[in-house]
Amino acid sequence: MISGSEAFAPGATGRAAALFCFGVLVAAALPVLPSWPALAILFLLSLVLLWRLPGWRCWAAFPIGMLWFSCHALWFEHRAWPAERVGETVELVGRVVGLPQQQGGRARIEIRSDRSARQAGVPARILLSWYRPLDWFRPGEDWRLRVTLEPPRGRLNPGLFDYQQYLVARGIGATGRIVAAERVGPGSWTAAPDRLRQRFSDWLQAESVDLEVAALHRALTVGDRSAMEADLNDRLRRTGTAHLLSISGLHVGMVATLVGLLAGVFATTALFGRLLPERKRAMLVAGLLAALGYAALAGFSLPTQRALIMLLAGFGAILWRRPIRPGHALVLALLAVLLFDPLAPLSIGFWLSFAAVAVLIWSFAWRADAGGWVVGLLRAQWVLAIGLLPLNIGIFHQWAPAALLANLLAIPLVGFWVLPLLLLALVLFAAGLPAEAVLAASEQGLRLLLTGLGWLAELDARFAGWSLPNRASPGLLAIILAAAGAAWLLAPRGWPARPLGAVLVLPLLFPPASELGNGEFDVLVPDLGDGQAVIVRTKNHTLLFNTGPGDGARANLVDSTIAPLLRQSGAAGVDTIVVSHRNRDYSGGLAGARALWPDANLFASFDGPGQRCAPGRSWRADGVEFLFLHPSPRLPDLGGDSSCVLEVRSAAGSLLMTGGIGATVTRRLLANGRAAPVDAVVLPGSGHRDGFDADWLAAIDPRWALIPVAAFNRRGLPHAEAIERVEKTGAAVLTSADCGALRLSFRQQVPALLEAQVIKNRRFWRASEACRQRLALDRVPAPTPRGS
């Protein structure tokens, strides 16, 4: 039995490897990359430690690790497509990498550009979309493409998925759309594994009757998650089984174990002769080869890389009778991954994968084997639930109480039924033998699993307040304390005062909330691309002004973006919904919002849902007044000019939300005396040149003009003339394209405060200079709030 501390105790080489990895992780966590002078200092420091201080030589690994990550990140920045060339159309020749995604009338492919394209400034790896494609793509093919490129960008909202970070972690230097394409060659033999993966994926999709089962079959075998619908992803997230139904290190271990056991049953000395005279070695070699094949089938994703390296280390130690501690195998896997892919720490899967294994080693290395596999499975799920709390709640803002029960059902079902039959079906199919019956048996197992997960997801929905706490996001100190507390709780028996670890976890579960007083309110303008939604929260009331983009039915950002942001702010739900007008950038998420908050009061500028907006109609909540200024009841439907215009005002401050009105309506508001000074205004028409009148703008005299708009949008918004007009009044113009989500806080006796997410959460791949410069133009607030 190895103690938890002994499991991680390194020698000199192990210390150097751990310090190198730590250096990479520290550099990856920095908000900005070190400057060139700082890199020179790190380089000189490493030289001094290596050649001048022999006793400290292993410590040179730390600055070397920082240099390793920083140099690769700087090279990525240098090679990424620049913002100055956004929308430029170029011609290139490139090779299809990985599995193309082709569904819903759109093809999505990753291309590795050739040398001539790279010399012309095109990044080595680009992600392209082709709407209504005229041809099919296959892995490894060479294509001559005419593409329109832009830098890798994504929506930026607090605590939510960062698509731009995902692209950087994959080394994608540009995104774009295909204008024209011509196949020029079938590609080289090196793409054979991906072609086999594509063939398997197509066969599984064609042979599976149930679309959800087909999507899971493809995810479990070739790592292709493109066919998984939003409902299925949500069910997996709610039950904490997303890791199990896509290829992970657990699956690699399952496959290695199953094949190793089979090899142990069928292996004989006569079969292996002198090469493998021992049954144990036959099992290890067979299991390792199976794991290698399965990892190749998965495209050598990061979790499979980690599992494969750990298996190689462990199996190699057993084969050559060399002892290796579990912690050493983990550090070896971490070192290999970081050497091969220095940007891997930017991936969510990297942290979850290595953290889960580290938690299991820390918890089980000091335990004797007892209780059987059922007890071990229960204990492992309990350990992971506690050990991963700091990541799941503190970093990723998610926690599924149903995960324990769901994994107790899913792990045996997938490991002993679905996965073995599925892989057997693939082997039979590759050999040209009938495989439909075996695949159908695997399908029945997945149907049974999906039924159980459906029940558990409904149970989790009833306890949504537990799974996604309705409170503010915890701070960095709370996350660090929770990590220490979780390790303390999972320490071996005899560890001093183990229950005190729970005390350190409490700040993570119950972070101090920013309580609102009477007359105070918060405003959040999420980054929804070209769509608009504004969340206004008072002490006990929440307003949603517009519902973001969508198709008016299922496709919208309410579930994935707006609702999580509401929960993070501490709001239990929405009390009032206002839809300014019919444009789908503003009203596309109405169906999703009404499904989530059916009891909310609804106002709209058109007949049908809820009540009509009308000038003078108002209500008061917690000392904050909400007043409609437009449209008139007798006004015909004029599109954006019929938008609801809502003013929010209290003694702490004021906000004006204008929907999609134009200059004509702003002049009418001014003429009717409905243009009082405000602290902030959400500019109409996303900053359209004809969206507002200069006299109206001078009358409302805002301190901040907020513009929700997508970066590099095709309409060229906000218009330069509109920005110039606003800046002449002395207001700061802030766009979600430059700043990400924008948050305003209005408090009594305190000047109003604006926070930009791009500045609050600085990272090297996000440009924040434009937002920072506009905030620098912000005027000093007047002593008396404009709400008075």
Side-chain angles (χ1 to χ4, degrees):
M1 182 173 65
I2 301 173
S3 70
S5 57
E6 288 175 347
F8 289 94
T13 304
R15 282 196 298 271
L19 285 168
F20 174 86
C21 295
F22 187 55
V24 174
L25 298 181
V26 167
L30 293 176
V32 294
L33 292 174
S35 61
W36 287 109
L39 291 177
I41 292 172
L42 285 174
F43 180 70
L44 292 175
L45 177 61
S46 61
L47 291 180
V48 169
L49 290 171
L50 283 172
W51 277 284
R52 295 296 181 183
L53 298 172
W56 294 77
R57 187 167 294 167
C58 72
W59 287 91
F62 178 76
I64 291 173
M66 294 193 69
L67 284 168
W68 182 250
F69 176 87
S70 301
C71 290
H72 279 83
L74 286 168
W75 178 250
F76 173 83
E77 274 197 327
H78 173 70
R79 296 298 303 170
W81 192 251
E84 296 77 21
R85 299 180 67 181
V86 63
E88 185 177 325
T89 300
V90 298
E91 292 188 1
L92 59 93
V93 174
R95 177 165 295 172
V96 179
V97 177
L99 299 184
Q101 299 178 15
Q102 300 174 114
Q103 61 179 14
R106 185 181 75 166
R108 190 171 185 175
I109 58 171
E110 182 180 331
I111 290 290
R112 185 181 298 277
S113 55
D114 67 355
R115 180 179 299 177
S116 60
R118 293 195 296 271
Q119 290 173 347
V122 177
R125 300 176 69 179
I126 55 179
L127 189 64
L128 300 173
S129 295
W130 194 7
Y131 294 92
R132 298 181 180 177
L134 302 178
D135 209 336
W136 293 95
F137 295 96
R138 292 289 181 267
E141 291 179 338
D142 293 324
W143 286 75
R144 180 174 289 107
L145 302 167
R146 190 163 177 261
V147 297
T148 302
L149 297 179
E150 61 184 42
R153 290 294 291 267
R155 297 187 293 267
L156 179 59
N157 293 290
L160 300 186
F161 177 68
D162 188 340
Y163 182 63
Q164 187 174 354
Q165 179 177 342
Y166 164 79
L167 293 175
V168 174
R170 290 179 55 188
I172 304 296
T175 60
R177 56 187 178 87
I178 296 175
V179 179
E182 177 189 0
R183 185 185 289 107
V184 295
S188 69
W189 61 270
T190 56
D194 281 337
R195 293 195 189 103
L196 182 62
R197 295 174 65 211
Q198 181 73 65
R199 186 182 176 197
F200 283 156
S201 179
D202 293 342
W203 177 70
L204 290 169
Q205 185 69 40
E207 293 296 328
S208 300
V209 177
D210 190 309
L211 291 180
E212 287 190 340
V213 170
L216 291 176
H217 272 161
R218 292 166 63 181
L220 280 168
T221 51
V222 297
D224 182 6
R225 298 174 61 91
S226 61
M228 296 177 66
E229 298 289 344
D231 290 345
L232 179 56
N233 278 315
D234 182 66
R235 204 179 320 159
L236 300 179
R237 178 187 59 81
R238 286 186 177 276
T239 55
T241 53
H243 71 98
L244 188 63
L245 294 172
S246 60
I247 296 180
S248 66
L250 177 63
H251 297 87
V252 177
M254 287 178 175
V255 170
T257 301
L258 286 171
V259 175
L261 290 174
L262 288 174
V265 172
F266 294 106
T268 63
T269 304
L271 177 62
F272 289 91
R274 297 180 180 179
L275 180 63
L276 292 171
E278 298 179 14
R279 180 170 174 270
K280 181 182 289 188
R281 291 195 175 191
M283 294 172 63
L284 291 176
V285 171
L288 190 57
L289 291 175
L292 181 62
Y294 189 50
L297 192 62
F300 289 107
S301 61
L302 193 145
T304 61
Q305 292 175 28
R306 185 263 307 158
L308 193 60
I309 295 168
M310 291 191 70
L311 284 173
L312 281 169
F315 285 9
I318 296 173
L319 282 172
W320 282 277
R321 296 183 174 89
R322 300 286 181 87
I324 184 170
R325 295 186 177 98
H328 289 187
L330 180 63
V331 172
L332 178 62
L334 181 61
L335 177 66
V337 169
L338 294 179
L339 285 173
F340 177 72
D341 184 8
L343 299 183
L346 304 180
S347 162
I348 292 174
F350 171 89
W351 292 98
L352 288 176
S353 178
F354 281 98
V357 176
V359 167
L360 290 174
I361 292 174
W362 173 250
S363 303
F364 285 95
W366 42 267
R367 295 180 185 269
D369 294 332
W373 71 271
V374 176
V375 174
L377 180 59
L378 282 167
R379 188 176 290 161
Q381 293 307 310
W382 177 251
V383 160
L384 288 174
I386 295 175
L388 296 182
L389 269 181
L391 282 177
N392 285 330
I393 292 183
I395 305 297
F396 307 129
H397 303 282
Q398 60 184 15
W399 179 40
L404 181 60
L405 290 175
N407 280 283
L408 288 176
L409 168 68
I411 289 176
L413 196 55
V414 171
F416 297 109
W417 181 349
V418 174
L419 192 57
L421 292 175
L422 185 54
L423 294 178
L424 177 59
L426 290 183
V427 171
L428 293 174
F429 171 70
L433 300 173
E436 289 75 12
V438 179
L439 186 65
S442 172
E443 187 171 345
Q444 290 301 319
L446 277 181
R447 284 180 178 173
L448 178 62
L449 176 62
L450 288 173
T451 301
L453 294 184
W455 293 340
L456 291 172
E458 291 179 7
L459 178 67
D460 182 84
R462 297 181 184 181
F463 297 99
W466 294 3
S467 59
L468 293 167
N470 294 328
R471 53 183 64 90
S473 301
L476 179 61
L477 179 60
I479 297 171
I480 295 173
L481 288 175
W488 201 338
L489 276 171
L490 300 175
R493 290 173 184 170
W495 195 277
R498 277 199 310 167
L500 289 180
V503 177
L504 297 179
V505 179
L506 291 178
L508 178 77
L509 300 177
F510 304 100
S514 177
E515 295 294 338
L516 294 170
N518 201 49
E520 299 178 342
F521 62 99
D522 282 340
V523 179
L524 177 64
V525 182
D527 183 2
L528 303 179
D530 281 324
Q532 184 190 111
V534 182
I535 300 169
V536 181
R537 187 173 67 91
T538 68
K539 184 177 182 180
N540 300 301
H541 183 273
T542 302
L543 164 81
L544 178 62
F545 186 85
N546 288 320
T547 58
D551 62 0
R554 296 180 61 184
N556 57 70
L557 297 180
V558 173
D559 282 322
S560 62
T561 304
I562 296 174
L565 290 173
L566 278 165
R567 287 189 282 262
Q568 286 179 32
S569 68
V574 171
D575 302 287
T576 304
I577 300 173
V578 177
V579 179
S580 65
H581 60 300
R582 294 180 187 271
N583 188 297
R584 287 193 173 179
D585 285 344
Y586 297 75
S587 64
L590 179 58
R594 297 199 73 178
L596 277 182
W597 307 293
D599 298 328
N601 296 320
L602 178 61
F603 294 92
S605 61
F606 47 90
D607 291 327
Q611 308 173 60
R612 288 287 297 266
C613 308
R617 174 169 282 176
S618 67
W619 71 95
R620 194 172 183 84
D622 307 315
V624 180
E625 184 178 7
F626 298 82
L627 173 66
F628 285 115
L629 306 180
H630 185 75
S632 169
R634 294 182 295 276
L635 192 70
D637 187 357
L638 300 176
D641 278 339
S642 298
S643 294
C644 302
V645 177
L646 181 64
E647 182 182 83
V648 183
R649 190 176 292 273
S650 78
S654 51
L655 168 73
L656 183 64
M657 296 176 284
T658 57
I661 61 174
T664 302
V665 175
T666 59
R667 285 191 288 269
R668 180 173 179 171
L669 290 173
L670 180 62
N672 292 339
R674 299 172 187 158
V678 293
D679 289 290
V681 59
V682 180
L683 279 185
S686 300
H688 195 278
R689 179 174 53 186
D690 301 324
F692 55 91
D693 180 72
D695 293 335
W696 168 81
L697 187 66
I700 64 172
D701 189 27
R703 178 181 170 190
W704 296 296
L706 312 180
I707 306 177
V709 66
F712 314 132
N713 64 87
R714 296 180 183 178
R715 295 178 292 173
L717 298 175
H719 198 279
E721 185 177 320
I723 294 177
E724 182 182 359
R725 217 180 310 162
V726 175
E727 289 180 341
K728 282 182 179 179
T729 68
V733 183
L734 300 163
T735 71
S736 58
D738 291 331
C739 302
L742 296 163
R743 186 185 299 274
L744 282 163
S745 299
F746 294 97
R747 299 291 186 271
Q748 299 282 13
Q749 309 303 321
V750 177
L753 175 67
L754 183 142
E755 287 183 342
Q757 185 63 23
V758 74
I759 296 175
K760 186 178 179 181
N761 185 19
R762 293 181 65 195
R763 299 310 302 267
F764 75 84
W765 57 85
R766 286 195 286 264
S768 59
E769 290 78 14
C771 185
R772 193 178 300 278
Q773 290 172 5
R774 294 191 183 281
L775 274 177
L777 301 175
D778 187 10
R779 295 176 296 182
V780 177
T784 305
R786 298 182 180 191
S788 300

